[in-house]
């Protein structure tokens, strides 16, 4: 079941201690059945309503639609089996953009996606490749401009930019990208080795997805190779 929303802005991991049940007064109203709890962020300055999918699809119209679907349950099960077999031949990646180029990172490697703050905190004597750090729910997160890491020209900050957080050798690191576009399943048959232009490039961008029908070329990054071992040691010193 899919739902249409205005925008997806970020993916967050939040502590259970920051999540409260919906106030009883609001819960009694009846028209907020989908919202079951409230998440407090930024010391309570930002509140996020948490929707329970089970309640979201509890309306009578939705139930009627699901009932109609259940009438062909056996056929759906057969199709599902075929779909599962086909999904085994897919890779799920998060698509992001740098300039006009599309890149993909394995979805399992992406810890979080957060907004870029108005100003990064500069740390004295931090490694030169670190743009700054941010406070991500009580932990220090070093932030790197992925444009510079890949040899692209640095640009001014925009509202569309995001920080993609990866865990690299147990060091959580954020990388600024121009835009996070979508989560995409790519058939393994469409993935081929990328041209080897240099040793560093062949490690970081060793594969490319050629989506002929969509007329798209997606360069697939290998996050563990985003940082060298000596850089990870320097990052660990910054985060303490």
């Amino acid at each position: 079941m899919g739902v249409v929303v205005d925008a997806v802005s970020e993916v967050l991991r939040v502590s259970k201690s920051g999540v409260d049940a919906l106030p009883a007064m609001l819960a009694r109203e009846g028209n907020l059945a989908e919202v079951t709890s409230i998440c407090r962020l930024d010391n309570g300055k930002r509140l996020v309503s948490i929707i329970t999918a089970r309640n979201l699809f509890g309306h009578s119209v939705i139930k009627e639609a699901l009932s109609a679907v259940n009438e062909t349950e056996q056929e759906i099960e057969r199709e599902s089996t075929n779909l599962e077999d086909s999904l085994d031949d897919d890779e799920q990646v998060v698509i992001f953009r740098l300039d006009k180029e599309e890149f993909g990172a394995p979805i399992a490697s992406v810890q979080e996606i957060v907004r870029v703050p108005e100003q990064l905190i500069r740390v004295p004597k931090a490694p030169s490749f670190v743009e700054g750090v941010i406070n991500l729910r009580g932990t220090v997160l070093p932030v790197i401009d992925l444009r510079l890491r890949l040899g692209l020209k640095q640009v001014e900050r925009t509202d569309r930019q995001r920080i993609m957080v990866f865990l690299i050798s147990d060091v959580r690191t954020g990388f600024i990208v121009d835009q996070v576009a979508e989560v995409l399943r790519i058939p393994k048959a469409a993935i081929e080795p990328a041209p080897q232009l240099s040793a560093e490039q062949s490690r970081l961008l060793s594969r490319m997805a050629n989506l002929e029908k969509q007329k798209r070329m997606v360069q697939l990054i290998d996050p563990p190779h985003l940082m060298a071992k000596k850089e990870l040691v320097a990052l660990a010193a910054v985060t303490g």
Side-chain angles (χ1 to χ4, degrees), residues 15-225:
S15 171
K16 290 183 178 180
S17 62
V19 178
D20 299 323
L22 188 70
M25 181 177 295
L26 294 178
R28 286 198 300 268
E29 292 296 324
N31 59 350
L32 293 175
E34 298 87 353
V35 180
T36 56
S37 50
I38 302 292
C39 177
R40 291 177 282 104
L41 301 175
D42 301 334
N43 295 321
K45 296 180 181 178
R46 179 183 173 197
L47 300 179
V48 178
S49 299
I50 299 178
I51 293 175
T52 297
R54 181 180 62 256
N55 296 353
L56 185 65
F57 300 124
H59 296 291
S60 59
V61 175
I62 300 298
K63 287 182 177 180
E64 290 177 6
L66 292 176
S67 177
V69 171
N70 288 335
E71 293 178 0
T72 57
E73 182 176 357
Q74 291 184 350
E75 182 180 350
I76 291 175
E77 287 181 355
R78 289 194 298 269
E79 293 178 355
S80 296
T81 300
N82 294 335
L83 178 60
E84 289 176 1
D85 292 340
S86 65
L87 290 181
D88 289 339
D89 294 329
D90 293 347
E91 285 195 26
Q92 197 169 15
V93 300
V94 178
I95 301 295
F96 63 91
R97 295 191 176 100
L98 293 173
D99 200 8
K100 298 179 181 179
E101 303 300 325
E102 286 190 318
F103 296 83
I107 191 170
S109 69
V110 181
Q111 294 264 303
E112 299 187 44
I113 300 172
V114 299
R115 293 177 179 273
V116 181
E118 292 183 3
Q119 188 171 3
L120 298 173
I121 301 172
R122 304 290 179 176
V123 178
K125 296 186 178 180
S128 58
F129 58 85
V130 176
E131 289 291 303
V133 300
I134 63 172
N135 184 337
L136 189 60
R137 293 184 305 284
T139 62
V140 178
L141 180 74
V143 177
I144 296 168
D145 192 326
L146 191 53
R147 274 180 162 268
L148 297 182
R149 172 94 339 196
L150 298 182
L152 301 174
K153 182 180 179 181
Q154 191 173 25
V155 296
E156 294 183 0
R157 298 283 174 254
T158 69
D159 292 337
R160 303 179 74 177
Q161 288 181 323
R162 293 291 184 269
I163 297 175
M164 297 182 67
V165 182
F166 297 102
L167 185 64
I168 305 175
S169 297
D170 296 325
V171 179
R172 295 183 80 210
T173 310
F175 292 85
I176 299 175
V177 300
D178 291 354
Q179 181 185 5
V180 175
E182 60 182 317
V183 175
L184 185 66
R185 287 189 179 276
I186 299 178
K188 290 183 179 179
I191 299 174
E192 55 192 53
Q196 296 187 11
L197 305 178
S198 70
E200 184 178 5
Q201 174 267 337
S202 64
R203 288 192 300 270
L204 179 58
L205 299 166
S206 61
R207 301 184 304 155
M208 181 172 292
N210 185 4
L211 307 177
E212 294 185 31
K213 292 183 179 179
Q214 302 177 34
K215 297 182 179 180
R216 298 168 67 182
M217 298 284 286
V218 179
Q219 301 180 68
L220 303 178
I221 70 166
D222 191 4
H225 290 113

